[in-house]
């Protein structure tokens, strides 16, 4: 968990430093959400995406307690797989919430997939003799419905782009459960997440508003940073079989901006040469 969070935080700090080095401090950035003049302070959004279950980078040999005078010596190899993600919700701009510029809430569906293979043996702990060799493979493919709530910090880069840091909570319910395990030891237990999951998560994104378009596109990556329910001593990963998996969500959120009354019409078309002159003037 610490490694993933450190990487995301480093990326965010790097983007902030890049923006400070590449844009003059005397140039005022208008920001992407000029809700005080052009756009209403709330609207709808949709966010399609993909999931991936990240696993550990190495697979040490483990000794697991068995029955009386027996234990298991095994190497488990977890592997992540790609799934699907889709969310739909609303956002609201905030005025006096300190670093948070807007909040959002949504309902979503996510598909988590992965597998685990292992080889090992059961041995007698008294005389260290091998009793049984075995191998096995497990697969999971679960579909969750969930609700999300996020508070979002927006750091302007240009008038039409920004870095977004979000902290939020999600509550998941496992709607479809599909797990299987072939082979293995008769006494080896297998774990799995509960049907109800509550988590604290972090999201890092980069937002862009295309010119003369009333929507904002925010590609982002999201990961849990704490399992609140069920609490597992500070863990933020999910346990399947004999391994831990970190859900990652890669999404492209599209926020639909709504113009205020009287500003519903799009900007008028201008002569291309006049537009070029205006663009040159704006850059001064």
């Amino acid at each position: 968990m610490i490694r993933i969070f450190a990487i995301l935080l480093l990326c965010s700090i790097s983007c902030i430093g890049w923006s400070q080095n590449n844009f003059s401090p005397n140039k005022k950035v208008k920001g992407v959400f000029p809700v005080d003049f052009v756009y209403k302070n709330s609207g709808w959004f949709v966010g399609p995406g993909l999931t991936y279950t990240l696993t550990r980078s190495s697979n040490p040999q483990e000794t697991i307690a068995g029955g009386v005078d027996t234990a298991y010596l095994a190497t488990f190899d977890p592997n992540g797989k790609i799934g699907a993600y889709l969310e739909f919700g609303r956002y609201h701009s905030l005025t006096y919430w300190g670093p948070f510029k807007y909040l959002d809430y949504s309902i979503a569906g996510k598909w988590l997939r992965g597998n685990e293979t292992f080889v090992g043996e059961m041995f007698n702990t008294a005389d260290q003799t091998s009793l049984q060799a075995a191998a096995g493979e497990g697969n999971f493919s679960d579909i969750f419905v969930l609700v999300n709530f996020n508070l979002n910090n927006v750091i302007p880069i240009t008038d039409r782009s920004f870095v977004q840091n979000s902290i939020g909570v999600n509550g998941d319910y496992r709607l479809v459960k599909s797990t299987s395990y072939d082979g293995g030891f008769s006494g080896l237990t297998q774990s799995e997440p509960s049907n109800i999951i509550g988590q604290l998560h972090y999201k890092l994104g980069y937002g862009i508003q295309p010119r003369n378009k009333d929507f904002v596109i925010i590609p982002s990556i999201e990961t849990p940073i704490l399992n609140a329910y069920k609490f597992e001593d500070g863990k933020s990963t999910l346990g399947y079989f004999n391994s831990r998996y970190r859900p990652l969500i890669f999404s492209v959120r599209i926020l639909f901006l709504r113009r205020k009354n009287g500003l519903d019409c799009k900007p008028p078309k201008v002569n291309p040469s006049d537009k070029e002159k205006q663009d040159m003037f704006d850059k001064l």
Side-chain angles (χ1 to χ4, degrees):
M1 178 186 74
I2 297 176
R3 183 180 63 181
I4 296 297
F5 183 75
I7 292 173
L8 293 175
L9 184 60
L10 180 61
C11 291
S12 177
I13 294 174
S14 299
C15 290
I16 296 171
W18 179 84
S19 67
Q20 292 176 341
N21 291 332
N22 284 273
F23 294 93
S24 170
N26 296 323
K27 179 180 178 181
K28 185 177 179 180
V29 178
K30 292 185 293 185
V32 176
F33 297 104
V35 295
D36 56 333
F37 177 66
V38 179
Y39 297 110
K40 296 182 179 180
N41 65 355
S42 64
W44 297 95
F45 68 84
V46 63
L50 298 173
T51 67
Y52 183 75
T53 45
L54 185 68
T55 61
R56 62 194 179 203
S57 57
S58 60
N59 302 313
Q61 194 174 56
E62 303 176 44
T63 300
I64 302 173
V68 179
D69 295 332
T70 61
Y72 305 101
L73 189 64
T75 299
F76 301 100
D77 182 14
N79 296 280
K81 291 185 178 181
I82 295 174
Y85 179 82
L86 180 64
E87 66 175 340
F88 182 76
R90 287 187 64 81
Y91 69 88
H92 294 267
S93 297
L94 304 172
T95 305
Y96 302 109
W97 284 57
F100 301 114
K101 300 306 179 184
Y102 77 97
L103 63 82
D104 66 75
Y105 47 88
S106 66
I107 184 170
K110 67 180 176 184
W111 182 22
L112 299 181
R113 303 170 64 232
N115 80 330
E116 174 192 270
T117 60
F118 91 96
V119 292
E121 62 176 347
M122 182 171 63
F123 64 95
N124 188 302
T125 56
D127 57 15
Q128 300 297 306
T129 57
S130 178
L131 300 177
Q132 177 189 356
E137 180 178 4
N139 292 275
F140 66 88
S141 178
D142 293 348
I143 297 176
F144 294 84
V145 292
L146 57 147
V147 290
N148 290 300
F149 176 83
N150 296 284
L151 289 172
N152 307 283
N153 167 253
V154 173
I155 304 170
I157 303 298
T158 70
D159 290 344
R160 296 187 178 276
S161 65
F162 59 91
V163 172
Q164 176 176 297
N165 292 278
S166 307
I167 191 77
V169 293
N170 58 278
D172 304 4
Y173 176 75
R174 182 160 52 182
L175 188 65
V176 177
K177 172 185 173 182
S178 178
T179 59
S180 63
Y181 211 94
D182 298 323
F185 298 114
S186 58
L188 191 61
T189 59
Q190 309 289 346
S191 65
E192 64 177 83
S194 62
N195 287 331
I196 298 177
I197 299 173
Q199 293 175 315
L200 180 69
H201 63 250
Y202 170 74
K203 179 185 293 188
L204 175 64
Y206 185 79
I208 303 169
Q209 182 185 10
R211 185 175 296 274
N212 297 327
K213 301 296 183 182
D214 293 338
F215 60 85
V216 175
I217 303 172
I218 312 175
S220 63
I221 178 174
E222 175 187 321
T223 184
I225 56 176
L226 178 67
N227 290 337
Y229 183 84
K230 298 182 174 179
F231 184 74
E232 299 180 89
D233 298 324
K235 290 185 174 65
S236 59
T237 53
L238 299 179
Y240 278 96
F241 311 127
N242 306 281
S243 304
R244 308 289 301 186
Y245 298 79
R246 171 172 300 283
L248 298 178
I249 299 175
F250 304 90
S251 64
V252 181
R253 178 176 286 185
I254 304 173
L255 277 63
F256 300 100
L257 308 178
R258 300 183 304 156
R259 291 179 176 269
K260 289 186 174 181
N261 296 335
L263 296 171
D264 294 332
C265 57
K266 294 186 177 181
K269 294 183 178 180
V270 297
N271 186 289
S273 61
D274 293 339
K275 184 177 181 302
E276 291 178 1
K277 294 177 182 178
Q278 182 64 42
D279 290 340
M280 292 178 63
F281 177 79
D282 291 339
K283 293 178 181 179
L284 296 178

